[in-house]
Amino acid sequence: MNETLKTIHSLRSIHGNFSSQEIKDDDLKVILDACVRSANASFRQSYSIIAVRDRELMKKLSGFAGSRTLVFCVDFNRIIDIASHMNHPFTADGVIQFVTGSTDTILAAQTAAIAAKSLGIDSLFTNGIHRGNMNRVFELLDLPDEHCFPLIALVLGYPDKEPDHLKGRLNGPGVIHYDKYHKLTADELDELTGRYDDPDNHLWLNDIWMKEGFEHYLDWFFKKWSTRGGKPEGKSQMAEILEKIGFM
Ligand SMILES: Cc1cc2nc3c(=O)[nH]c(=O)nc-3n(C[C@H](O)[C@H](O)[C@H](O)COP(=O)(O)O)c2cc1C
């Protein structure tokens, strides 16, 4: 493997146990300079990245704190402001803009995680910013009222304890399709269920399913995990916010 592939294959999440060690400002700059190199639609770079330094604030935002948290927001305000400044009509309303902006944003976020790892800095992606009352994120970060949506937070830092294994990934049928979409057969579905059950593959969120007597990990996942919290009644707060800020 070359160095780039080694870095990508060594990526793993640090679930909250970041040490007090701080990232150097120079390293943060390298990460930020690298992540804005990501591809982006029509050269708009439809995102803003808020680099948070205060650990208390990080906790309030996502529930996690490390040395830095980068909050990646889909954001059209810069381009809208430039358009207005130059007296051009320009709108960023609607779901197409949101999907395109989200793509720009997430490419930058993943590039930041890879760049960080290449410097020996670990990370956690968290959508904790979407849990609880999401308005707090807008208030805490002073986000614009329209056309700006906090999409994902990336916590950066150094772990106080190394994870004991790398988590596995599916990489065959059902994930990779050649030439056209292949719907999985019953045998392939059974095979995948078994892959999740095999502890050597590390395809679990945790091993509670065994302790709770489920036959398969995915029985626990579908019965316990994916139904937690129930379904929101009516429209979710996220849908309301996306509508309010102009993306739906
Ligand atoms: C969109 C997204 C949201 C996530 N949110 C959380 C989170 O809130 N808490 C957490 O502990 N891990 C979170 N993760 C990390 C995943 O749990 C982790 O990537 C997965 O378990 C695989 O582990 P690995 O990254 O160590 O290989 C999130 C990852 C993504 C991509």
Side-chain angles (χ1 to χ4, degrees):
M1 273 195 204
N2 63 36
E3 291 306 311
T4 307
L5 289 170
K6 276 188 204 157
T7 301
I8 291 169
H9 280 270
S10 67
L11 284 169
R12 75 277 200 279
S13 304
I14 300 304
H15 297 273
N17 58 308
F18 287 98
S19 72
S20 55
Q21 186 180 347
E22 297 294 356
I23 294 173
K24 292 192 200 99
D25 285 342
D26 285 352
D27 283 349
L28 184 68
K29 184 164 179 345
V30 170
I31 293 166
L32 294 170
D33 285 349
C35 80
V36 297
R37 293 294 315 160
S38 311
N40 66 97
S42 300
F43 225 123
R44 287 182 309 197
Q45 294 182 260
S46 315
Y47 52 77
S48 284
I49 305 163
I50 322 273
V52 179
R53 285 172 287 197
D54 175 343
R55 290 186 186 230
E56 282 307 308
L57 178 55
M58 292 181 209
K59 277 258 176 206
K60 286 181 193 155
L61 288 165
S62 75
F64 295 97
S67 172
R68 299 286 186 278
T69 289
L70 304 180
V71 182
F72 286 84
C73 305
V74 180
D75 183 23
F76 287 88
N77 282 273
R78 178 187 352 101
I79 188 91
I80 290 171
D81 289 348
I82 293 173
S84 154
H85 183 67
M86 297 176 69
N87 295 317
H88 290 293
F90 178 80
T91 174
D93 282 347
V95 74
I96 293 176
Q97 303 284 17
F98 182 63
V99 170
T100 309
S102 298
T103 309
D104 286 3
T105 308
I106 216 69
L107 288 174
Q110 176 67 359
T111 305
I114 295 170
K117 189 69 189 167
S118 78
L119 299 171
I121 296 167
D122 278 301
S123 61
L124 172 73
F125 278 111
T126 173
N127 52 7
I129 49 174
H130 301 155
R131 286 193 275 273
N133 186 345
M134 274 190 62
N135 290 327
R136 79 183 183 288
V137 178
F138 285 79
E139 284 158 16
L140 289 167
L141 299 179
D142 233 349
L143 298 181
D145 295 335
E146 291 188 339
H147 304 111
C148 181
F149 181 78
L151 191 69
I152 191 76
L154 179 66
V155 187
L156 297 170
Y158 299 92
D160 64 8
K161 183 172 142 302
E162 285 297 315
D164 52 18
H165 60 263
L166 271 187
K167 290 199 181 155
R169 293 291 191 275
L170 299 178
N171 58 0
V175 177
I176 315 288
H177 307 247
Y178 290 100
D179 295 326
K180 59 183 177 177
Y181 193 93
H182 167 71
K183 194 152 168 56
L184 294 175
T185 63
D187 283 348
E188 286 169 328
L189 293 169
D190 281 341
E191 203 267 322
L192 282 190
T193 306
R195 295 225 355 234
Y196 277 97
D197 291 344
D198 181 348
D200 291 340
N201 292 332
H202 296 295
L203 285 170
W204 311 327
L205 278 170
N206 53 49
D207 59 2
I208 292 172
W209 65 284
M210 282 184 173
K211 293 171 193 149
E212 294 189 356
F214 286 94
E215 191 183 351
H216 300 291
Y217 165 74
L218 289 176
D219 287 326
W220 172 84
F221 178 83
F222 291 123
K223 281 196 181 135
K224 286 286 195 77
W225 183 258
S226 57
T227 55
R228 73 198 190 290
K231 278 198 171 156
E233 285 192 16
K235 211 181 272 181
S236 66
Q237 191 195 23
M238 191 185 289
E240 278 170 12
I241 288 176
L242 287 172
E243 211 168 297
K244 190 179 99 192
I245 66 181
F247 285 139
M248 271 174 91

